[in-house]
Amino acid sequence: MTVTVLDGILAGVQEDLAQRQSQVSLAELKARVSDAPPPLDPLPGFRAPGVSIIAEVKRKSPSKGELAAIPDPAALAAAYAAGGAAAISVLTEQRRFGGSLQDLASVRAEVDVPVLRKDFIVTPYQLWEARAWGADLALLMVVSLPGGLLDELHGLALELGLTPLVETHTEDEIARAVELGAEVIGINARDLTTLEVDRAVFQKLAPHLPESSVRIAESGVAGPEDVAEYRRWGADVVLVGEALVRSGDPRSSIREFIGS
């Protein structure tokens, strides 16, 4: 059986997860959540006229390696919010993306827009983590959630007040998301098993999304023209990472993306 890039990432995620579970019990996470303020609702921002931007705090990636040092994730997130980002995505996977739950907490403390925990979530524990550390949204990737696991995690996310962003890459995965009743559906132009990017995947798959859903385009954005194209293809929201952390002026870049 061929081992994909995603398989390698998930193996590392499971190892790191086991370590965190040995340090912080589920009961402790639940206690933190009970004391946490209610999560923010991203849907009004996502459904606003024009295109909305989810701006990502992203230090590195398996495909591009080091992207930016980001010594102060909170300051970067504040610049994103000042530029008009509808939400901030924080990568919390450590091995391949250089993120952490502490990044999530620091961003949450700095901004008043919704925050997405971007990680490879495969267990209920990680959703409790997301809420305990301040997330308002959580990413659920259909490709890594077989059988009833997607349904279980989607249901738990809703119970916790998290908005699930259900990510897809194929027509079959969209069918699973739609059957689930997902309200926020992402189409990732990057194939996580190979890391190859094809933005036309969004153009091909977007017509299969329900009109009532929030359509999020992920990956493949180099500049405003790419955001504009996604918008023409039906995207309500575009998630942007690399182009922003490398821009040198993320606040102005987001304004350009929104105005594209």
Side-chain angles (χ1 to χ4, degrees), residues 20-176:
R20 294 198 306 278
Q21 286 177 306
S22 70
Q23 296 169 343
V24 180
S25 69
L26 180 58
E28 184 176 342
L29 284 180
K30 290 182 176 181
R32 291 186 190 179
V33 169
S34 67
D35 293 333
L40 302 176
D41 182 1
L43 293 183
F46 288 172
R47 293 190 184 279
V51 68
S52 299
I53 298 295
I54 300 176
E56 194 155 81
V57 177
K58 183 178 185 179
R59 290 188 177 87
K60 62 182 183 178
S61 74
S63 60
K64 297 291 184 67
E66 298 289 339
L67 299 175
I70 313 182
D72 190 346
L76 177 60
Y80 287 161
I88 311 295
S89 170
V90 182
L91 273 152
T92 57
E93 197 280 333
Q94 181 177 359
R95 297 190 184 201
R96 305 293 185 98
F97 293 89
S100 69
L101 287 164
Q102 187 55 54
D103 287 348
L104 178 64
S106 64
V107 168
R108 168 72 290 153
E110 182 67 25
V111 301
D112 58 4
V113 298
V115 178
L116 164 69
R117 181 187 184 183
K118 184 104 174 280
D119 209 320
F120 298 81
I121 294 175
V122 291
T123 68
Y125 182 92
Q126 290 164 290
L127 289 175
W128 285 98
E129 278 184 325
R131 276 291 290 119
W133 290 85
D136 307 292
L137 304 97
L139 183 72
L140 298 178
M141 301 177 181
V142 177
V143 68
S144 58
L145 298 172
L149 186 55
L150 175 63
D151 302 69
E152 177 189 354
L153 295 184
H154 187 267
L156 177 59
L158 294 175
E159 288 178 25
L160 293 176
L162 291 163
T163 298
L165 194 177
V166 180
E167 179 181 292
T168 65
H169 183 73
T170 67
E171 193 171 334
D172 286 344
E173 290 175 8
I174 285 180
R176 288 187 64 197

Side-chain angles (χ1 to χ4, degrees), residues 163-243:
T163 298
L165 194 177
V166 180
E167 179 181 292
T168 65
H169 183 73
T170 67
E171 193 171 334
D172 286 344
E173 290 175 8
I174 285 180
R176 288 187 64 197
V178 171
E179 183 180 4
L180 187 68
E183 189 170 10
V184 181
I185 303 177
I187 296 175
N188 196 343
R190 186 184 305 280
D191 182 340
L192 292 175
T193 62
T194 64
L195 300 183
E196 294 179 359
V197 175
D198 178 6
R199 289 193 306 106
V201 167
F202 185 90
Q203 181 185 27
K204 174 186 175 184
L205 296 180
H208 297 282
L209 298 178
E211 287 292 334
S212 60
S213 66
V214 172
R215 304 174 178 195
I216 300 184
E218 305 174 44
S219 300
V221 173
E225 66 282 355
D226 298 325
V227 174
E229 190 163 50
Y230 274 140
R231 178 58 178 161
R232 288 196 299 273
W233 291 340
D236 303 302
V237 184
V238 180
L239 190 151
V240 187
E242 179 185 345

